[in-house]
Amino acid sequence: MSFSKFIGRSLLSSMFVVGGVNEFRNAEKMTGMVDALKEQLPDAISGPLGTVDSETLVKLNGATMAAAASTLALGILPRLSAAVLAAQMVPVTVAGHPFWKKDGAERQGNWIHFLKNVSLTGGLLLVSATKK
């Protein structure tokens, strides 16, 4: 792996490592967002998810995020790692930054974070589609 790819992957991964660890450590604070997202899902999906405790889902998401980001930074299965992170970004972004439900400054803040997540997802998709 080239030095520039290592630096690029490490920089892209940094937010996911920190975010995943924080999510795992503070899972109880994020269960409300997961509960709200579960209510919006179709029955075919929410049925199986409804049997899993929301705090467990948050911890699983955080651990997966930190692990995939670490392997991405280290160049271990980088395409798969990036694809896993990109897939995780969809529910995380929808649940975490619903700008369409907010007003004023809160709407603006959520919009900025929503766009940041969309941009990060684009970077992850580029990595997942790039052959050596």
Side-chain angles (χ1 to χ4, degrees), residues 45-90:
I45 297 171
S46 65
L49 282 179
T51 61
V52 182
D53 177 55
S54 292
E55 188 172 339
T56 301
L57 289 173
V58 173
K59 285 185 175 187
L60 180 61
N61 187 68
T64 303
M65 188 181 295
S70 297
T71 56
L72 175 60
L74 296 170
I76 301 168
L77 299 172
R79 294 177 69 199
L80 176 61
S81 301
V84 167
L85 290 169
Q88 282 184 290
M89 289 299 286
V90 175

mmCIF file of all heavy atoms in Angstrom, residues 45-90:
data_model
loop_
_atom_site.group_PDB
_atom_site.id
_atom_site.type_symbol
_atom_site.label_atom_id
_atom_site.label_comp_id
_atom_site.label_asym_id
_atom_site.label_seq_id
_atom_site.Cartn_x
_atom_site.Cartn_y
_atom_site.Cartn_z
ATOM 1 N N ILE A 45 -39.073 -5.522 8.169
ATOM 2 C CA ILE A 45 -37.767 -5.225 8.749
ATOM 3 C C ILE A 45 -37.896 -4.983 10.251
ATOM 4 O O ILE A 45 -37.097 -5.472 11.034
ATOM 5 C CB ILE A 45 -37.125 -3.995 8.066
ATOM 6 C CG1 ILE A 45 -36.885 -4.286 6.603
ATOM 7 C CG2 ILE A 45 -35.816 -3.614 8.755
ATOM 8 C CD1 ILE A 45 -36.467 -3.086 5.792
ATOM 9 N N SER A 46 -38.907 -4.210 10.651
ATOM 10 C CA SER A 46 -39.034 -3.852 12.065
ATOM 11 C C SER A 46 -39.413 -5.048 12.929
ATOM 12 O O SER A 46 -39.101 -5.063 14.118
ATOM 13 C CB SER A 46 -40.042 -2.726 12.255
ATOM 14 O OG SER A 46 -41.337 -3.155 11.896
ATOM 15 N N GLY A 47 -40.058 -6.054 12.346
ATOM 16 C CA GLY A 47 -40.413 -7.247 13.120
ATOM 17 C C GLY A 47 -39.194 -7.911 13.736
ATOM 18 O O GLY A 47 -39.091 -8.020 14.956
ATOM 19 N N PRO A 48 -38.224 -8.326 12.917
ATOM 20 C CA PRO A 48 -37.017 -8.949 13.479
ATOM 21 C C PRO A 48 -36.199 -7.983 14.351
ATOM 22 O O PRO A 48 -35.663 -8.371 15.377
ATOM 23 C CB PRO A 48 -36.211 -9.352 12.242
ATOM 24 C CG PRO A 48 -37.191 -9.412 11.131
ATOM 25 C CD PRO A 48 -38.259 -8.422 11.467
ATOM 26 N N LEU A 49 -36.129 -6.712 13.949
ATOM 27 C CA LEU A 49 -35.372 -5.734 14.741
ATOM 28 C C LEU A 49 -36.058 -5.414 16.061
ATOM 29 O O LEU A 49 -35.401 -5.085 17.037
ATOM 30 C CB LEU A 49 -35.168 -4.438 13.952
ATOM 31 C CG LEU A 49 -34.094 -4.445 12.888
ATOM 32 C CD1 LEU A 49 -34.039 -3.089 12.197
ATOM 33 C CD2 LEU A 49 -32.740 -4.799 13.450
ATOM 34 N N GLY A 50 -37.384 -5.514 16.071
ATOM 35 C CA GLY A 50 -38.136 -5.201 17.281
ATOM 36 C C GLY A 50 -37.821 -6.124 18.438
ATOM 37 O O GLY A 50 -38.020 -5.757 19.600
ATOM 38 N N THR A 51 -37.312 -7.305 18.139
ATOM 39 C CA THR A 51 -36.983 -8.250 19.205
ATOM 40 C C THR A 51 -35.602 -7.996 19.803
ATOM 41 O O THR A 51 -35.262 -8.579 20.823
ATOM 42 C CB THR A 51 -37.038 -9.701 18.673
ATOM 43 O OG1 THR A 51 -36.069 -9.849 17.628
ATOM 44 C CG2 THR A 51 -38.419 -10.040 18.139
ATOM 45 N N VAL A 52 -34.821 -7.127 19.176
ATOM 46 C CA VAL A 52 -33.477 -6.816 19.665
ATOM 47 C C VAL A 52 -33.517 -5.489 20.401
ATOM 48 O O VAL A 52 -34.046 -4.493 19.898
ATOM 49 C CB VAL A 52 -32.458 -6.742 18.498
ATOM 50 C CG1 VAL A 52 -31.056 -6.463 19.019
ATOM 51 C CG2 VAL A 52 -32.475 -8.030 17.689
ATOM 52 N N ASP A 53 -32.962 -5.482 21.596
ATOM 53 C CA ASP A 53 -32.888 -4.279 22.408
ATOM 54 C C ASP A 53 -32.146 -3.173 21.650
ATOM 55 O O ASP A 53 -31.101 -3.418 21.041
ATOM 56 C CB ASP A 53 -32.155 -4.626 23.707
ATOM 57 C CG ASP A 53 -31.953 -3.440 24.598
ATOM 58 O OD1 ASP A 53 -32.937 -2.769 24.936
ATOM 59 O OD2 ASP A 53 -30.784 -3.168 24.954
ATOM 60 N N SER A 54 -32.674 -1.950 21.700
ATOM 61 C CA SER A 54 -32.072 -0.831 20.963
ATOM 62 C C SER A 54 -30.653 -0.535 21.419
ATOM 63 O O SER A 54 -29.791 -0.198 20.610
ATOM 64 C CB SER A 54 -32.942 0.421 21.094
ATOM 65 O OG SER A 54 -34.158 0.232 20.419
ATOM 66 N N GLU A 55 -30.381 -0.674 22.689
ATOM 67 C CA GLU A 55 -29.021 -0.431 23.179
ATOM 68 C C GLU A 55 -28.041 -1.447 22.589
ATOM 69 O O GLU A 55 -26.919 -1.102 22.225
ATOM 70 C CB GLU A 55 -28.979 -0.481 24.708
ATOM 71 C CG GLU A 55 -27.639 -0.059 25.270
ATOM 72 C CD GLU A 55 -27.637 0.089 26.777
ATOM 73 O OE1 GLU A 55 -28.701 0.264 27.391
ATOM 74 O OE2 GLU A 55 -26.526 0.022 27.360
ATOM 75 N N THR A 56 -28.487 -2.673 22.435
ATOM 76 C CA THR A 56 -27.652 -3.702 21.812
ATOM 77 C C THR A 56 -27.375 -3.361 20.357
ATOM 78 O O THR A 56 -26.253 -3.524 19.875
ATOM 79 C CB THR A 56 -28.332 -5.082 21.920
ATOM 80 O OG1 THR A 56 -28.539 -5.386 23.300
ATOM 81 C CG2 THR A 56 -27.489 -6.171 21.273
ATOM 82 N N LEU A 57 -28.397 -2.874 19.646
ATOM 83 C CA LEU A 57 -28.209 -2.474 18.245
ATOM 84 C C LEU A 57 -27.207 -1.330 18.127
ATOM 85 O O LEU A 57 -26.364 -1.329 17.226
ATOM 86 C CB LEU A 57 -29.542 -2.076 17.614
ATOM 87 C CG LEU A 57 -30.535 -3.193 17.338
ATOM 88 C CD1 LEU A 57 -31.871 -2.626 16.877
ATOM 89 C CD2 LEU A 57 -29.974 -4.170 16.322
ATOM 90 N N VAL A 58 -27.285 -0.362 19.038
ATOM 91 C CA VAL A 58 -26.345 0.763 19.009
ATOM 92 C C VAL A 58 -24.926 0.267 19.270
ATOM 93 O O VAL A 58 -23.978 0.656 18.582
ATOM 94 C CB VAL A 58 -26.749 1.851 20.031
ATOM 95 C CG1 VAL A 58 -25.677 2.929 20.130
ATOM 96 C CG2 VAL A 58 -28.084 2.468 19.659
ATOM 97 N N LYS A 59 -24.760 -0.615 20.249
ATOM 98 C CA LYS A 59 -23.426 -1.153 20.556
ATOM 99 C C LYS A 59 -22.874 -1.961 19.388
ATOM 100 O O LYS A 59 -21.697 -1.859 19.060
ATOM 101 C CB LYS A 59 -23.468 -2.005 21.819
ATOM 102 C CG LYS A 59 -23.567 -1.185 23.072
ATOM 103 C CD LYS A 59 -23.476 -2.047 24.306
ATOM 104 C CE LYS A 59 -23.464 -1.157 25.540
ATOM 105 N NZ LYS A 59 -23.207 -1.914 26.763
ATOM 106 N N LEU A 60 -23.729 -2.756 18.767
ATOM 107 C CA LEU A 60 -23.306 -3.544 17.608
ATOM 108 C C LEU A 60 -22.887 -2.628 16.464
ATOM 109 O O LEU A 60 -21.856 -2.856 15.819
ATOM 110 C CB LEU A 60 -24.433 -4.471 17.166
ATOM 111 C CG LEU A 60 -24.163 -5.374 15.971
ATOM 112 C CD1 LEU A 60 -23.005 -6.310 16.272
ATOM 113 C CD2 LEU A 60 -25.404 -6.172 15.620
ATOM 114 N N ASN A 61 -23.654 -1.578 16.222
ATOM 115 C CA ASN A 61 -23.308 -0.620 15.178
ATOM 116 C C ASN A 61 -21.975 0.057 15.491
ATOM 117 O O ASN A 61 -21.117 0.182 14.622
ATOM 118 C CB ASN A 61 -24.418 0.427 15.023
ATOM 119 C CG ASN A 61 -24.178 1.333 13.841
ATOM 120 O OD1 ASN A 61 -24.240 0.905 12.700
ATOM 121 N ND2 ASN A 61 -23.888 2.598 14.119
ATOM 122 N N GLY A 62 -21.796 0.495 16.722
ATOM 123 C CA GLY A 62 -20.554 1.164 17.113
ATOM 124 C C GLY A 62 -19.339 0.258 16.986
ATOM 125 O O GLY A 62 -18.289 0.671 16.474
ATOM 126 N N ALA A 63 -19.475 -0.976 17.439
ATOM 127 C CA ALA A 63 -18.360 -1.918 17.354
ATOM 128 C C ALA A 63 -18.014 -2.244 15.906
ATOM 129 O O ALA A 63 -16.832 -2.292 15.528
ATOM 130 C CB ALA A 63 -18.705 -3.202 18.121
ATOM 131 N N THR A 64 -19.048 -2.441 15.089
ATOM 132 C CA THR A 64 -18.824 -2.719 13.663
ATOM 133 C C THR A 64 -18.158 -1.533 12.984
ATOM 134 O O THR A 64 -17.226 -1.691 12.180
ATOM 135 C CB THR A 64 -20.158 -3.064 12.973
ATOM 136 O OG1 THR A 64 -20.751 -4.171 13.640
ATOM 137 C CG2 THR A 64 -19.948 -3.396 11.509
ATOM 138 N N MET A 65 -18.622 -0.333 13.330
ATOM 139 C CA MET A 65 -18.059 0.879 12.737
ATOM 140 C C MET A 65 -16.581 1.028 13.093
ATOM 141 O O MET A 65 -15.744 1.282 12.220
ATOM 142 C CB MET A 65 -18.844 2.105 13.226
ATOM 143 C CG MET A 65 -18.478 3.392 12.539
ATOM 144 S SD MET A 65 -19.425 4.813 13.164
ATOM 145 C CE MET A 65 -21.072 4.376 12.675
ATOM 146 N N ALA A 66 -16.249 0.858 14.367
ATOM 147 C CA ALA A 66 -14.856 1.000 14.803
ATOM 148 C C ALA A 66 -13.974 -0.071 14.168
ATOM 149 O O ALA A 66 -12.852 0.213 13.735
ATOM 150 C CB ALA A 66 -14.770 0.946 16.324
ATOM 151 N N ALA A 67 -14.471 -1.296 14.095
ATOM 152 C CA ALA A 67 -13.687 -2.388 13.511
ATOM 153 C C ALA A 67 -13.474 -2.177 12.013
ATOM 154 O O ALA A 67 -12.348 -2.321 11.514
ATOM 155 C CB ALA A 67 -14.387 -3.723 13.768
ATOM 156 N N ALA A 68 -14.537 -1.843 11.286
ATOM 157 C CA ALA A 68 -14.410 -1.637 9.840
ATOM 158 C C ALA A 68 -13.503 -0.449 9.539
ATOM 159 O O ALA A 68 -12.703 -0.488 8.590
ATOM 160 C CB ALA A 68 -15.789 -1.435 9.208
ATOM 161 N N ALA A 69 -13.597 0.600 10.338
ATOM 162 C CA ALA A 69 -12.741 1.770 10.127
ATOM 163 C C ALA A 69 -11.281 1.440 10.407
ATOM 164 O O ALA A 69 -10.380 1.899 9.693
ATOM 165 C CB ALA A 69 -13.200 2.923 11.019
ATOM 166 N N SER A 70 -11.039 0.629 11.418
ATOM 167 C CA SER A 70 -9.661 0.230 11.730
ATOM 168 C C SER A 70 -9.058 -0.605 10.611
ATOM 169 O O SER A 70 -7.912 -0.382 10.211
ATOM 170 C CB SER A 70 -9.628 -0.558 13.048
ATOM 171 O OG SER A 70 -10.059 0.251 14.119
ATOM 172 N N THR A 71 -9.829 -1.551 10.095
ATOM 173 C CA THR A 71 -9.301 -2.373 9.005
ATOM 174 C C THR A 71 -9.121 -1.546 7.733
ATOM 175 O O THR A 71 -8.179 -1.772 6.975
ATOM 176 C CB THR A 71 -10.187 -3.606 8.732
ATOM 177 O OG1 THR A 71 -11.527 -3.189 8.466
ATOM 178 C CG2 THR A 71 -10.167 -4.561 9.921
ATOM 179 N N LEU A 72 -10.003 -0.574 7.521
ATOM 180 C CA LEU A 72 -9.843 0.318 6.370
ATOM 181 C C LEU A 72 -8.544 1.109 6.490
ATOM 182 O O LEU A 72 -7.764 1.190 5.537
ATOM 183 C CB LEU A 72 -11.035 1.277 6.252
ATOM 184 C CG LEU A 72 -10.949 2.347 5.170
ATOM 185 C CD1 LEU A 72 -10.825 1.725 3.784
ATOM 186 C CD2 LEU A 72 -12.161 3.257 5.235
ATOM 187 N N ALA A 73 -8.301 1.677 7.648
ATOM 188 C CA ALA A 73 -7.082 2.470 7.854
ATOM 189 C C ALA A 73 -5.826 1.630 7.658
ATOM 190 O O ALA A 73 -4.828 2.109 7.114
ATOM 191 C CB ALA A 73 -7.088 3.082 9.253
ATOM 192 N N LEU A 74 -5.876 0.381 8.082
ATOM 193 C CA LEU A 74 -4.713 -0.503 7.980
ATOM 194 C C LEU A 74 -4.576 -1.168 6.610
ATOM 195 O O LEU A 74 -3.606 -1.876 6.355
ATOM 196 C CB LEU A 74 -4.782 -1.569 9.071
ATOM 197 C CG LEU A 74 -4.687 -1.037 10.503
ATOM 198 C CD1 LEU A 74 -5.008 -2.142 11.506
ATOM 199 C CD2 LEU A 74 -3.311 -0.439 10.748
ATOM 200 N N GLY A 75 -5.568 -0.960 5.746
ATOM 201 C CA GLY A 75 -5.511 -1.550 4.411
ATOM 202 C C GLY A 75 -5.878 -3.020 4.392
ATOM 203 O O GLY A 75 -5.557 -3.733 3.452
ATOM 204 N N ILE A 76 -6.578 -3.490 5.423
ATOM 205 C CA ILE A 76 -7.029 -4.880 5.493
ATOM 206 C C ILE A 76 -8.435 -4.940 4.904
ATOM 207 O O ILE A 76 -9.366 -4.352 5.447
ATOM 208 C CB ILE A 76 -7.029 -5.392 6.946
ATOM 209 C CG1 ILE A 76 -5.623 -5.297 7.539
ATOM 210 C CG2 ILE A 76 -7.582 -6.809 7.028
ATOM 211 C CD1 ILE A 76 -5.570 -5.494 9.044
ATOM 212 N N LEU A 77 -8.574 -5.608 3.776
ATOM 213 C CA LEU A 77 -9.843 -5.672 3.053
ATOM 214 C C LEU A 77 -10.487 -4.285 2.948
ATOM 215 O O LEU A 77 -11.632 -4.070 3.366
ATOM 216 C CB LEU A 77 -10.800 -6.658 3.731
ATOM 217 C CG LEU A 77 -10.333 -8.111 3.807
ATOM 218 C CD1 LEU A 77 -11.272 -8.933 4.661
ATOM 219 C CD2 LEU A 77 -10.215 -8.713 2.414
ATOM 220 N N PRO A 78 -9.760 -3.326 2.386
ATOM 221 C CA PRO A 78 -10.259 -1.948 2.378
ATOM 222 C C PRO A 78 -11.562 -1.757 1.614
ATOM 223 O O PRO A 78 -12.405 -0.954 2.034
ATOM 224 C CB PRO A 78 -9.116 -1.165 1.736
ATOM 225 C CG PRO A 78 -8.331 -2.161 0.971
ATOM 226 C CD PRO A 78 -8.465 -3.454 1.717
ATOM 227 N N ARG A 79 -11.749 -2.488 0.529
ATOM 228 C CA ARG A 79 -12.987 -2.324 -0.240
ATOM 229 C C ARG A 79 -14.188 -2.816 0.553
ATOM 230 O O ARG A 79 -15.231 -2.159 0.589
ATOM 231 C CB ARG A 79 -12.875 -3.047 -1.574
ATOM 232 C CG ARG A 79 -11.807 -2.416 -2.483
ATOM 233 C CD ARG A 79 -11.621 -3.160 -3.773
ATOM 234 N NE ARG A 79 -12.811 -2.984 -4.589
ATOM 235 C CZ ARG A 79 -13.136 -3.767 -5.607
ATOM 236 N NH1 ARG A 79 -12.358 -4.770 -5.955
ATOM 237 N NH2 ARG A 79 -14.220 -3.541 -6.300
ATOM 238 N N LEU A 80 -14.045 -3.954 1.205
ATOM 239 C CA LEU A 80 -15.127 -4.488 2.035
ATOM 240 C C LEU A 80 -15.372 -3.578 3.238
ATOM 241 O O LEU A 80 -16.524 -3.273 3.581
ATOM 242 C CB LEU A 80 -14.795 -5.908 2.500
ATOM 243 C CG LEU A 80 -15.804 -6.551 3.454
ATOM 244 C CD1 LEU A 80 -17.169 -6.671 2.789
ATOM 245 C CD2 LEU A 80 -15.294 -7.910 3.915
ATOM 246 N N SER A 81 -14.307 -3.131 3.871
ATOM 247 C CA SER A 81 -14.430 -2.248 5.039
ATOM 248 C C SER A 81 -15.175 -0.968 4.667
ATOM 249 O O SER A 81 -16.069 -0.520 5.394
ATOM 250 C CB SER A 81 -13.043 -1.899 5.587
ATOM 251 O OG SER A 81 -12.346 -3.055 5.969
ATOM 252 N N ALA A 82 -14.810 -0.375 3.547
ATOM 253 C CA ALA A 82 -15.465 0.852 3.101
ATOM 254 C C ALA A 82 -16.933 0.596 2.760
ATOM 255 O O ALA A 82 -17.801 1.431 3.061
ATOM 256 C CB ALA A 82 -14.726 1.433 1.894
ATOM 257 N N ALA A 83 -17.229 -0.546 2.149
ATOM 258 C CA ALA A 83 -18.615 -0.872 1.810
ATOM 259 C C ALA A 83 -19.469 -1.052 3.063
ATOM 260 O O ALA A 83 -20.616 -0.591 3.113
ATOM 261 C CB ALA A 83 -18.662 -2.132 0.943
ATOM 262 N N VAL A 84 -18.910 -1.691 4.073
ATOM 263 C CA VAL A 84 -19.628 -1.862 5.343
ATOM 264 C C VAL A 84 -19.927 -0.498 5.963
ATOM 265 O O VAL A 84 -21.049 -0.225 6.394
ATOM 266 C CB VAL A 84 -18.820 -2.750 6.322
ATOM 267 C CG1 VAL A 84 -19.379 -2.679 7.741
ATOM 268 C CG2 VAL A 84 -18.788 -4.194 5.827
ATOM 269 N N LEU A 85 -18.930 0.374 5.997
ATOM 270 C CA LEU A 85 -19.132 1.712 6.558
ATOM 271 C C LEU A 85 -20.153 2.511 5.753
ATOM 272 O O LEU A 85 -21.002 3.203 6.326
ATOM 273 C CB LEU A 85 -17.804 2.461 6.634
ATOM 274 C CG LEU A 85 -16.828 1.939 7.680
ATOM 275 C CD1 LEU A 85 -15.446 2.568 7.482
ATOM 276 C CD2 LEU A 85 -17.339 2.197 9.084
ATOM 277 N N ALA A 86 -20.095 2.416 4.435
ATOM 278 C CA ALA A 86 -21.053 3.139 3.589
ATOM 279 C C ALA A 86 -22.475 2.651 3.859
ATOM 280 O O ALA A 86 -23.412 3.459 3.945
ATOM 281 C CB ALA A 86 -20.703 2.973 2.111
ATOM 282 N N ALA A 87 -22.652 1.349 4.014
ATOM 283 C CA ALA A 87 -23.978 0.796 4.295
ATOM 284 C C ALA A 87 -24.487 1.268 5.658
ATOM 285 O O ALA A 87 -25.677 1.566 5.814
ATOM 286 C CB ALA A 87 -23.939 -0.729 4.239
ATOM 287 N N GLN A 88 -23.597 1.366 6.618
ATOM 288 C CA GLN A 88 -23.996 1.839 7.945
ATOM 289 C C GLN A 88 -24.399 3.303 7.943
ATOM 290 O O GLN A 88 -25.197 3.738 8.768
ATOM 291 C CB GLN A 88 -22.850 1.656 8.946
ATOM 292 C CG GLN A 88 -22.678 0.241 9.430
ATOM 293 C CD GLN A 88 -21.601 0.167 10.480
ATOM 294 O OE1 GLN A 88 -20.427 0.336 10.181
ATOM 295 N NE2 GLN A 88 -22.012 -0.061 11.702
ATOM 296 N N MET A 89 -23.852 4.063 7.027
ATOM 297 C CA MET A 89 -24.124 5.497 7.006
ATOM 298 C C MET A 89 -25.583 5.821 6.687
ATOM 299 O O MET A 89 -26.084 6.859 7.108
ATOM 300 C CB MET A 89 -23.202 6.200 5.997
ATOM 301 C CG MET A 89 -21.764 6.277 6.429
ATOM 302 S SD MET A 89 -21.533 7.180 7.954
ATOM 303 C CE MET A 89 -21.796 8.846 7.367
ATOM 304 N N VAL A 90 -26.272 4.949 5.987
ATOM 305 C CA VAL A 90 -27.659 5.245 5.616
ATOM 306 C C VAL A 90 -28.554 5.355 6.857
ATOM 307 O O VAL A 90 -29.133 6.417 7.100
ATOM 308 C CB VAL A 90 -28.200 4.216 4.592
ATOM 309 C CG1 VAL A 90 -29.674 4.453 4.320
ATOM 310 C CG2 VAL A 90 -27.382 4.279 3.305
#
